[in-house]
Amino acid sequence: MSTPRFLDLPPGVAPQKTETPQGTFAVLEAVPVSGVIERWPALLVPGLTGSKEDFIAVLMTLAQSGRRVVAVDLRGQYETPGPADPTAYTCAALGSDIDALAQVVGGGEPVHLVGHSFGGLVAREAVIDGVTKFASFTLMSSGPGPIEGRRARNARKITEEVPTLGLEHLWHHRFEPEALAADVSDDIREFLHKRLVSNSPTGLSRMAEQVLTVRDRTDELRQIELPTLVLFGEHDDGWPPEAQSEMAARLGADSVVLPGAVHSPAVEAPETTAAALVRFWNAAEKHYLDTRSSAV
């Protein structure tokens, strides 16, 4: 799971509840601590065992580029409640949630959408099938189809163990030993435990199933003709870097490889991740304005 290195919220970042026609979502909202909001907003979507806190290290920097930035807990994830109905946790259903949330966040303006890992698969659904006008789309450590390698094995364990043994079992037998081996501090380890057991068990197991069986929609995404960025760590152990590079080529998308990062760039390389996003977002806005101006 993504493991934040700190939990204290930076200046300009605050927890909020965002109401949408799809329900209420827990978010972290960041606004500039100096200057004004003059650029289009951004919405950040976390991965399978993550949460909005995975983006804490980049939120202030992203907001200081002159925009409102919102990181969300998906339905059934940490502080956003979810039902016991497994159909609520398909990529399509969660993508519909993100589509509705983006409309609220945008307030009529285009929205920059970022999806990390499983969140990228969910966000892709919103881009392809939703009605929101997106300014750009970033796939962060997220591949074209099912996740691979060690993370695929972990996802299978979630689908096998959570429905019968529960979330506490998953914590004590899988995630807590990993946190101890990584020498995670006591306060972060307490947060990781609280976050995991706050998930909907149905939601977590269903989402794990989705990340193992999702179909490749790269060709459909390309047809949207939306400015797209593929951003990943050079040592990614979810989707191989080669697979993500190939996906970027299929999309005709920009591609950024972050040196030293693995599967959680916003945690492992926050400054270079934030810089890449701001650069991409600014270019996407300029492209939109230039296109609109030439069409007049």
Side-chain angles (χ1 to χ4, degrees):
M1 67 172 70
S2 290
T3 303
R5 292 177 178 168
F6 61 91
L7 296 171
D8 293 333
L9 297 182
V13 180
Q16 305 286 353
K17 299 289 185 181
T18 299
E19 303 285 343
T20 81
Q22 301 280 99
T24 302
F25 293 84
V27 305
L28 290 177
E29 179 180 8
V31 295
V33 294
S34 61
V36 297
I37 296 174
E38 58 186 356
R39 292 186 176 274
W40 292 336
L43 176 60
L44 315 181
V45 185
L48 174 64
T49 56
S51 66
K52 57 192 180 302
E53 286 75 15
D54 295 342
F55 299 107
I56 284 178
V58 299
L59 285 174
M60 185 175 74
T61 303
L62 295 177
Q64 279 304 112
S65 64
R67 51 177 50 89
R68 176 179 174 229
V69 182
V70 175
V72 63
D73 287 341
L74 290 167
R75 180 180 301 278
Q77 189 178 62
Y78 190 29
E79 294 181 323
T80 297
D85 180 4
T87 65
Y89 304 103
T90 63
C91 285
L94 296 170
S96 180
D97 287 346
I98 294 303
D99 184 33
L101 187 61
Q103 292 174 59
V104 174
V105 169
E109 290 185 315
V111 175
H112 297 287
L113 183 61
V114 178
H116 172 234
S117 192
F118 176 70
L121 305 178
V122 169
R124 185 176 67 180
E125 298 287 318
V127 171
I128 295 173
D129 297 325
V131 299
T132 300
K133 182 177 182 181
F134 289 105
S136 72
F137 179 37
T138 298
L139 288 152
M140 180 188 291
S141 298
S142 186
I147 201 166
E148 301 180 31
R150 178 180 68 86
R151 294 184 184 274
R153 292 191 292 274
N154 287 342
R156 289 191 191 94
K157 290 297 183 182
I158 290 173
T159 65
E160 294 166 359
E161 296 178 0
V162 169
T164 55
L165 300 175
L167 293 170
E168 285 286 0
H169 173 87
L170 186 67
W171 169 254
H172 289 298
H173 290 268
R174 300 207 172 274
F175 291 131
E176 184 179 34
E178 288 182 7
L180 290 169
D183 199 25
V184 173
S185 64
D186 290 345
D187 62 324
I188 299 296
R189 197 164 67 249
E190 289 173 9
F191 163 76
L192 294 177
H193 175 239
K194 179 182 177 183
R195 178 173 72 177
L196 179 67
V197 300
S198 296
N199 276 269
S200 159
T202 300
L204 187 62
S205 57
R206 181 64 164 146
M207 284 188 253
E209 177 187 308
Q210 291 284 286
V211 82
L212 291 167
T213 60
V214 66
R215 66 187 178 91
D216 186 337
R217 302 193 71 185
T218 303
D219 293 340
E220 294 169 83
L221 179 60
R222 181 176 182 128
Q223 293 175 15
I224 303 299
E225 297 184 344
L226 179 70
T228 301
L229 172 66
V230 175
L231 182 151
F232 54 93
E234 66 171 331
H235 304 301
D236 199 324
D237 59 356
W239 286 268
E242 299 79 15
Q244 294 182 66
S245 293
E246 181 184 350
M247 178 180 67
R250 289 172 61 193
L251 289 169
D254 293 337
S255 179
V256 173
V257 182
L258 298 173
V262 188
H263 191 63
S264 300
V267 173
E268 299 151 352
E271 291 306 315
T272 49
T273 296
L277 287 173
V278 169
R279 185 168 57 248
F280 172 63
W281 290 345
N282 290 348
E285 291 176 21
K286 183 178 185 303
H287 173 76
Y288 175 85
L289 294 173
D290 289 346
T291 303
R292 187 175 65 175
S293 176
S294 63
V296 173

